[in-house]
Amino acid sequence: MSRKRFKVAAVTSALLLAVTACSQGSTTKQPDAGSSQSSGPAHIKIAYQQWGPGVVMKNFLTGVKSEYEAANPGSTVEILPIVASENDYYTKLQLMMRSPNTAPDVVYEDTFLINSDITAGYLKPLDDYINKWDQWGQFQDTAKGAAKALDGKTYGVPDGTDTRALWYNKQIFAKAGLPADWQPKTWDDVLSAARTIKQKVPGVIPMNVYSGKPMGEASAMQGFEMLLYGTKDTLYNNDQQKWVVGSQGFKDSLNFIKTIYTEGLAPSPKQALDPNMGSKVGTELLPGGKLGIALDGSWIYGNWQKTGAKPWPQWTEVMGQTAMPTQDGSGKGKVSLSGGWTWAIPAKSKNPDAAWNLIKTLQTQKNATKYATDGAQIAVRKDVAADATYKNSAKSTQFFTDLVSVTVYRPAFAEYPKVSNEIITAMEAVMTGQSTPDKAAKNYDEAVEGIVGKDKTTSGQ
């Protein structure tokens, strides 16, 4: 599942929200942070993505709705699930935010979209609220930074972060004669294991790396960028403040995609291009013993908890986790990408004050701990990170938290969503055999120059 998420730096904490409620337009004194009392009734609409069989967010929001309405008699919270794959969710949410007639009051906003949505005029800055909120100090600075735009203002309250690595099925590894404590040091080590699985465990998909348009940002981030950032190249040169084109690392990453698809080490293109592939990996392929290795996110075990879409108590013994290595073992030796989501207020919300107080209710320590635990999030609130319930919630929590020390973040500029789409286009062209890696990389370079301007590009290593 792509949350699936991404999308905040050096963070090892957690999140989810504080409490209170206050309606728009009231002239009475607002309650102190931590209070649940509102100065007047309001109808608040909150929108989030619902895709696949998972119900963790639905159940969480239903609980917060009851809490908020009980504390604020006369107020109502309307939960608006947007049933769509990731990229379709972004599109539908942006369409809703364009008009005050359809704009929700609170939205679940991916951090990589914040700058582009600000440029489009969709989001309201939250600094006036945050400056009066005594819980903001509980959030890790890196988490705060993920919700801050280029204009220096903050546009969302983060609810967790994530890291990415290789999940592998120890039972399949045993059948293939591979070690239970797998520690690949290079891309070749990863490919070697996948080839061994193909040879010795027929009927199993050796490896999954998300690729192609239907999986959207999951393809770009936890697929391609997990490869690219293991090379000597990146997407964006921070020192020069320019986008990187003509890089060998980009071509090498596409060649990795070509290798796993042409050698039959990955799902068939038809399987990979299924918009439901993200949920199938977590609810069918891994628990069903049909997938050997998955390049995926820290959150995926949320499917297997009692509250998840596919409860699987045995996962702690069956599934192993290991870091994705760099291309040749150089550099830090391992790679992770991090992202994250925030709760934001659309610029055209009819009830921004009440919306803020709902966000604070979402973000009490209690609610933050519950969602970080049930939703398999890496905590971004300090008090949640120190909570025993959270720390003991899963066997893999410490492993994925430790990856924060090597993690990198997408260049979340306004142009990034368009650049990301070109990455996905290049991947799909290669995985389906419609293009060679060199040609796909050349088309990508030309597209990026058209998006950002040739003067805003620089050559790779």
Side-chain angles (χ1 to χ4, degrees):
M1 132 171 107
S2 114
R3 299 179 118 153
K4 202 168 144 273
R5 320 311 313 331
F6 334 146
K7 240 183 188 256
V8 38
V11 47
T12 138
S13 332
L15 150 141
L16 244 28
L17 310 43
V19 25
T20 147
C22 177
S23 70
Q24 180 187 29
S26 170
T27 57
T28 59
K29 183 179 178 181
Q30 289 192 17
D32 295 332
S35 166
S36 296
Q37 301 305 309
S38 170
S39 58
H43 179 71
I44 314 162
K45 297 179 290 184
I46 180 169
Y48 75 101
Q49 181 195 18
Q50 175 64 48
W51 188 244
V55 294
V56 171
M57 180 64 85
K58 176 184 176 181
N59 292 341
F60 173 69
L61 293 180
T62 299
V64 171
K65 167 184 165 72
S66 298
E67 178 182 338
Y68 185 90
E69 291 177 348
N72 298 279
S75 290
T76 55
V77 176
E78 181 181 358
I79 301 172
L80 303 174
I82 299 177
V83 181
S85 59
E86 193 162 339
N87 278 18
D88 287 343
Y89 169 71
Y90 302 146
T91 300
K92 291 182 179 182
L93 185 61
Q94 288 166 342
L95 287 172
M96 292 173 71
M97 291 192 291
R98 288 179 182 178
S99 167
N101 295 325
T102 56
D105 300 294
V106 178
V107 296
Y108 204 40
E109 176 86 1
D110 196 324
T111 54
F112 92 96
L113 284 173
I114 284 180
N115 280 295
S116 60
D117 280 356
I118 292 167
T119 301
Y122 294 147
L123 299 179
K124 177 181 179 65
L126 304 181
D127 301 77
D128 288 346
Y129 295 118
I130 286 171
N131 291 339
K132 300 174 184 177
W133 188 31
D134 65 359
Q135 296 296 299
W136 191 233
Q138 285 289 349
F139 291 81
Q140 292 282 347
D141 288 342
T142 47
K144 295 177 182 178
K148 184 176 287 188
L150 296 175
D151 64 6
K153 298 177 181 179
T154 298
Y155 287 81
V157 174
D159 78 335
T161 188
D162 48 42
T163 51
R164 286 153 179 77
L166 294 167
W167 290 86
Y168 63 98
N169 187 306
K170 294 180 181 179
Q171 294 176 343
I172 294 174
F173 267 50
K175 292 178 183 178
L178 294 167
D181 184 22
W182 185 45
Q183 302 284 335
K185 302 300 182 184
T186 65
W187 287 3
D188 284 342
D189 290 347
V190 176
L191 292 172
S192 176
R195 289 170 180 137
T196 300
I197 292 171
K198 181 184 179 183
Q199 179 185 6
K200 297 186 177 181
V201 193
V204 168
I205 299 170
M207 182 177 189
N208 181 63
V209 177
Y210 294 118
S211 185
K213 295 176 183 177
M215 284 305 299
E217 187 61 14
S219 296
M221 185 183 185
Q222 66 210 54
F224 189 83
E225 291 169 41
M226 283 290 291
L227 294 166
L228 178 64
Y229 281 87
T231 73
K232 294 178 174 59
D233 287 302
T234 60
L235 282 180
Y236 187 84
N237 186 312
N238 287 302
D239 293 334
Q240 298 181 31
Q241 296 186 341
K242 292 182 178 182
W243 293 89
V244 178
V245 295
S247 79
Q248 186 61 45
F250 197 96
K251 295 176 184 177
D252 289 349
S253 300
L254 287 178
N255 267 302
F256 187 99
I257 298 298
K258 177 185 177 182
T259 298
I260 61 173
Y261 279 95
T262 57
E263 292 189 19
L265 305 178
S268 68
K270 181 178 179 181
Q271 289 175 301
L273 294 174
D274 181 346
N276 296 305
M277 187 60 177
S279 62
K280 285 183 176 180
V281 168
T283 61
E284 297 178 21
L285 297 177
L286 286 175
K290 297 296 184 182
L291 175 61
I293 305 166
L295 179 54
D296 222 302
S298 53
W299 64 83
I300 199 170
Y301 73 84
N303 288 291
W304 310 325
Q305 301 190 102
K306 291 180 180 179
T307 55
K310 180 68 174 180
W312 183 28
Q314 299 82 7
W315 79 266
T316 56
E317 301 304 321
V318 176
M319 295 304 300
Q321 310 90 35
T322 191
M324 178 66 186
T326 56
Q327 183 177 15
D328 57 8
S330 61
K332 295 180 179 179
K334 50 190 175 181
V335 178
S336 177
L337 265 285
S338 285
W341 292 68
T342 68
W343 292 108
I345 300 176
K348 294 182 180 178
S349 163
K350 293 180 179 179
N351 296 293
D353 292 348
W356 170 248
N357 284 289
L358 177 62
I359 288 177
K360 289 198 291 182
T361 304
L362 286 164
Q363 296 293 358
T364 60
Q365 180 186 358
K366 173 179 72 71
N367 287 338
T369 301
K370 177 173 177 56
Y371 184 67
T373 301
D374 293 349
Q377 295 287 302
I378 294 176
V380 293
R381 267 186 75 131
K382 301 169 189 175
D383 49 8
V384 176
D387 188 277
T389 300
Y390 165 74
K391 290 195 293 185
N392 298 324
S393 62
K395 186 177 179 181
S396 63
T397 298
Q398 194 62 54
F399 167 79
F400 281 105
T401 298
D402 288 346
L403 285 176
V404 168
S405 65
V406 300
T407 205
V408 293
Y409 304 86
R410 293 164 292 180
F413 303 114
E415 303 92 345
Y416 176 78
K418 292 180 180 179
V419 172
S420 171
N421 187 63
E422 296 302 328
I423 292 172
I424 299 165
T425 299
M427 294 180 81
E428 185 166 315
V430 169
M431 69 180 281
T432 57
Q434 297 177 32
S435 177
T436 64
D438 284 356
K439 182 179 178 182
K442 183 175 184 294
N443 290 340
Y444 167 83
D445 293 342
E446 292 173 352
V448 170
E449 289 176 355
I451 292 168
V452 306
K454 195 166 185 177
D455 61 325
K456 293 295 179 64
T457 63
T458 186
S459 298
Q461 301 275 339

